[in-house]
Amino acid sequence: MAPRLPSGVLAAGLTPLHADLSLAHEPFVDHTRWLLNHGCDAVLLFGTTGEGLSLSVPERRKGLDAVLASGVPANRLLVGTGASALPDAVELTREATRQGVGGVLVLPPFHFRQISTEGLFRFYDRLIQAVGEPDLRLYFYHFPELSGVPIPFSVIEELRGAYPDQIAGVKDSSAEWDHTEALCHHFPELQVFSGTERLLLHVLEAGGAGCISATANVTAARAAQVLRRWREDEAPGAVQETLSEFRTAFAPLPTIPALKFLLSRRLDTPDWATLRPPLAPLADAEKETVLEIADRLAGEGLLPAPDA
Amino acid sequence: MAPRLPSGVLAAGLTPLHADLSLAHEPFVDHTRWLLNHGCDAVLLFGTTGEGLSLSVPERRKGLDAVLASGVPANRLLVGTGASALPDAVELTREATRQGVGGVLVLPPFHFRQISTEGLFRFYDRLIQAVGEPDLRLYFYHFPELSGVPIPFSVIEELRGAYPDQIAGVKDSSAEWDHTEALCHHFPELQVFSGTERLLLHVLEAGGAGCISATANVTAARAAQVLRRWREDEAPGAVQETLSEFRTAFAPLPTIPALKFLLSRRLDTPDWATLRPPLAPLADAEKETVLEIADRLAGEGLLPAPDA
């Protein structure tokens, strides 16, 4: 089965909010489109970076509708549909699948921290059964540092056996190269994405699909250069290095507030500065650091223009 | 301000499910009423034990409606209204408050693990503002082992200062007596509940309100004896010991599956045996252990009768 979702560079798209904390559809759609026109093969909506779990089911549904209504090809969207309550995950997954999205990215439910392997299997199994859509393309979201619930190979294996056409890939946000590499080798038929563009070249060389990254909101064009050079066998190493340097520059900062602050300044749009609790605004010193990074990114032509 | 929620013994009520995983209203209402008639001063609905975060917003709303429609006094209910998405927490909290419940128990949002103290404050602050009900009675749900997000005293202090009539108490599920004792001493005007009946007598002696416990689904009558003896100065120590022994007996088991299995056998009701993923059924050896405990509990007259 050929994947519906393009491999390559994906940004974990940010979600702008109005001052009243409601989703700001216009800049949300604009930014998603900008990413797809500036280096992203596809965009993840409502991942961790997109504050997906901070949004209600109706908010995620309407946000997806707004992006699709703007004419973005549905297959270029990966949609975060994970939820602690199974019925919520079913509703979001079914809806996104019926809209023809490239795939859905599903976190394990992690409100009970110590769940068994059997419990984890049961969750995904019931989800797939309840969604009942042959067109489902499910990507596992492995992010143990956040969720505390790793997704063992055995669970992927078993679900892949049961639903060979519907299990499509993995986003590995463990940031452990050994784990990502093992996924690439163990599941060559799945699309394996790393959660950071630092590992992009490694993933490509290991036969993986690419990366899905928070900082790709502002570095996607550079990541796309790595991908192009790798595909054309043009020594991508140096470009990967500058790409990784940008990622490293963000390391000491709270990623989501930093990226939103950067876009709010760059685009002069207050909706980008709004953070839904439990996120909190940057300290002044952190803002200074972000503005320095922004200058360097702008100097390399990586940022959206205010009138874009 | 006198609390609306009674102090004393609260069970963290279980949530029975039909085979299709939907909430089984009839046994849910029956069990809640049985608890209130057999030792519980109040019942927590949709806490961790009640699989609250595994239920959608509409499921929690309809479940509460069903219990209230049965004639249970609203003030004898504490309702878990925490959610990772602020709008969900607002909706559930507002609805429960308008129904006149004794209080709402609100977990910190924990999908972003490393949230700042400011972010935590902002979540509760926006919640209280958005709910906009002077009758709100909010109980903090401190459960760091589960959530990874402790609720610092400073956050309670600051919110108590801002909303003195609406911050009503804390459920301390840390199982660390030093922490519970410090809460009792630091916030004498709040109702402090321990998350286990093992600490019931300690909490009462420290001026706290009582306990809110999973195993109180089957031990409440014994816990109520501890409370009565303590109030009447009748040497409650020995009863506390037998109470603690029952709690200890459950320690090696996954609590929720064990309690649900126990009730399914005792009441011969299949709806009690259903577990919503990510929970998984007990292993056979665990079932044996549960049946042994059940015999002892039944021998002490603590379990509901099949026709109750």
Side-chain angles (χ1 to χ4, degrees):
Chain A
M1 169 202 77
R4 198 160 58 223
L5 182 75
S7 290
V9 174
L10 279 77
L14 294 157
T15 304
L17 303 168
H18 294 303
D20 69 358
L21 301 186
S22 64
L23 203 160
H25 286 166
E26 195 180 319
F28 181 60
V29 171
D30 288 349
H31 182 62
T32 304
R33 295 175 63 88
W34 181 82
L35 286 168
L36 290 170
N37 291 327
H38 292 82
C40 282
D41 297 286
V43 171
L44 165 63
L45 304 179
F46 313 131
T48 308
T49 304
E51 299 171 75
L53 290 182
S54 292
L55 302 169
S56 70
V57 168
E59 285 180 311
R60 284 197 257 179
R61 290 185 64 153
K62 287 177 195 158
L64 173 60
D65 286 347
V67 172
L68 290 171
S70 80
V72 164
N75 74 305
R76 293 182 73 188
L77 299 175
L78 177 64
V79 182
T81 59
S84 57
L86 180 60
D88 291 343
V90 169
E91 180 180 343
L92 289 165
T93 301
R94 184 188 287 137
E95 181 63 21
T97 298
R98 287 184 180 166
Q99 303 256 32
V101 301
V104 296
L105 181 69
V106 185
L107 266 173
F110 60 90
H111 51 298
F112 295 115
R113 302 299 304 289
Q114 301 293 332
I115 65 175
S116 64
T117 299
E118 184 187 353
L120 190 59
F121 173 84
R122 288 182 86 226
F123 181 87
Y124 284 111
D125 184 59
R126 291 299 290 240
L127 172 65
I128 295 166
Q129 291 281 341
V131 166
E133 295 282 338
D135 276 347
L136 170 67
R137 296 294 178 273
L138 188 145
Y139 294 75
F140 294 102
Y141 194 175
H142 176 72
F143 196 171
E145 189 187 333
L146 179 98
S147 68
V149 178
I151 305 177
F153 282 29
S154 62
V155 170
I156 300 173
E157 189 93 54
E158 198 175 352
L159 287 160
R160 167 107 184 124
Y163 308 103
D165 293 336
Q166 295 169 300
I167 302 299
V170 186
K171 177 182 196 280
D172 182 1
S173 293
S174 70
E176 290 171 12
W177 170 241
D178 288 353
H179 188 267
T180 310
E181 186 179 35
L183 279 170
C184 291
H185 291 164
H186 203 86
F187 299 106
E189 72 286 9
L190 298 183
Q191 285 171 289
V192 175
F193 295 91
S194 69
T196 164
E197 68 269 47
R198 289 176 64 89
L199 295 176
L200 176 57
L201 193 51
H202 284 319
V203 170
L204 296 172
E205 287 167 348
C211 66
I212 304 175
S213 161
T215 38
N217 279 282
V218 294
T219 65
R222 185 66 77 247
Q225 285 183 329
V226 173
L227 182 66
R228 188 179 50 73
R229 287 189 175 222
W230 178 78
R231 282 181 177 156
E232 296 173 3
D233 208 8
E234 281 181 8
V239 184
Q240 174 69 62
E241 263 178 49
T242 67
L243 177 65
S244 296
E245 279 164 22
F246 277 119
R247 176 78 183 200
T248 303
F250 279 97
L253 298 162
T255 316
I256 303 167
L259 289 166
K260 289 184 119 176
F261 175 71
L262 191 161
L263 288 180
S264 77
R265 283 297 178 92
R266 175 72 181 177
L267 299 174
D268 199 19
T269 306
D271 292 339
W272 274 113
T274 309
L275 296 164
R276 183 173 283 192
L279 296 182
L282 297 182
D284 286 344
E286 291 171 328
K287 289 182 182 175
E288 289 303 316
T289 306
V290 171
L291 294 176
E292 286 161 23
I293 299 171
D295 280 347
R296 288 161 50 202
L297 288 163
E300 303 221 13
L302 291 175
L303 295 185
D307 56 353
Chain B
M1 170 202 77
R4 198 161 57 223
L5 182 76
S7 289
V9 174
L10 280 76
L14 294 157
T15 305
L17 303 168
H18 293 303
D20 69 358
L21 301 186
S22 63
L23 203 160
H25 285 166
E26 195 180 319
F28 181 60
V29 170
D30 288 349
H31 182 62
T32 304
R33 294 174 64 88
W34 181 81
L35 286 168
L36 290 171
N37 290 326
H38 292 81
C40 282
D41 296 286
V43 171
L44 165 63
L45 303 179
F46 312 131
T48 306
T49 305
E51 299 171 74
L53 290 182
S54 292
L55 302 169
S56 69
V57 168
E59 286 179 311
R60 283 197 258 179
R61 290 185 64 153
K62 286 176 195 159
L64 174 60
D65 287 347
V67 172
L68 289 171
S70 80
V72 165
N75 74 306
R76 293 183 73 188
L77 299 175
L78 177 65
V79 183
T81 60
S84 57
L86 180 59
D88 291 342
V90 169
E91 180 179 344
L92 289 166
T93 301
R94 184 188 288 135
E95 181 63 21
T97 298
R98 287 184 180 166
Q99 304 256 32
V101 301
V104 295
L105 181 69
V106 185
L107 266 174
F110 59 90
H111 51 298
F112 295 116
R113 302 299 304 289
Q114 302 293 332
I115 65 174
S116 64
T117 300
E118 183 187 353
L120 189 59
F121 173 84
R122 287 183 84 227
F123 181 87
Y124 285 110
D125 183 59
R126 291 299 291 240
L127 172 66
I128 296 166
Q129 291 282 340
V131 166
E133 295 283 337
D135 275 347
L136 170 68
R137 296 293 177 273
L138 188 144
Y139 294 76
F140 295 103
Y141 194 175
H142 176 72
F143 197 171
E145 188 187 332
L146 178 99
S147 68
V149 178
I151 305 177
F153 282 29
S154 63
V155 170
I156 300 173
E157 188 94 54
E158 197 176 352
L159 287 161
R160 167 106 184 125
Y163 308 103
D165 294 334
Q166 295 169 301
I167 302 299
V170 185
K171 177 181 197 281
D172 183 1
S173 293
S174 70
E176 291 171 12
W177 170 241
D178 288 352
H179 188 267
T180 310
E181 186 179 35
L183 279 170
C184 291
H185 292 164
H186 202 86
F187 299 106
E189 73 286 9
L190 297 183
Q191 284 170 290
V192 176
F193 294 92
S194 68
T196 164
E197 67 269 46
R198 290 175 64 89
L199 295 176
L200 175 56
L201 193 52
H202 283 321
V203 169
L204 296 171
E205 286 168 348
C211 66
I212 305 175
S213 161
T215 39
N217 279 282
V218 294
T219 65
R222 185 65 78 248
Q225 285 183 329
V226 173
L227 182 66
R228 187 179 52 72
R229 287 189 175 222
W230 178 78
R231 282 182 177 155
E232 296 174 4
D233 208 9
E234 281 181 8
V239 185
Q240 173 69 61
E241 262 178 49
T242 68
L243 177 65
S244 297
E245 277 163 23
F246 277 119
R247 176 77 183 201
T248 303
F250 279 98
L253 298 163
T255 316
I256 304 167
L259 289 166
K260 288 184 119 177
F261 175 71
L262 191 161
L263 288 180
S264 76
R265 283 298 179 92
R266 175 73 181 174
L267 299 174
D268 199 20
T269 308
D271 292 340
W272 274 114
T274 310
L275 296 164
R276 183 173 283 193
L279 296 181
L282 297 182
D284 287 344
E286 291 171 329
K287 288 181 181 174
E288 290 304 314
T289 306
V290 171
L291 293 176
E292 286 161 22
I293 300 172
D295 280 347
R296 288 161 51 202
L297 288 163
E300 303 222 11
L302 291 174
L303 296 185
D307 57 353

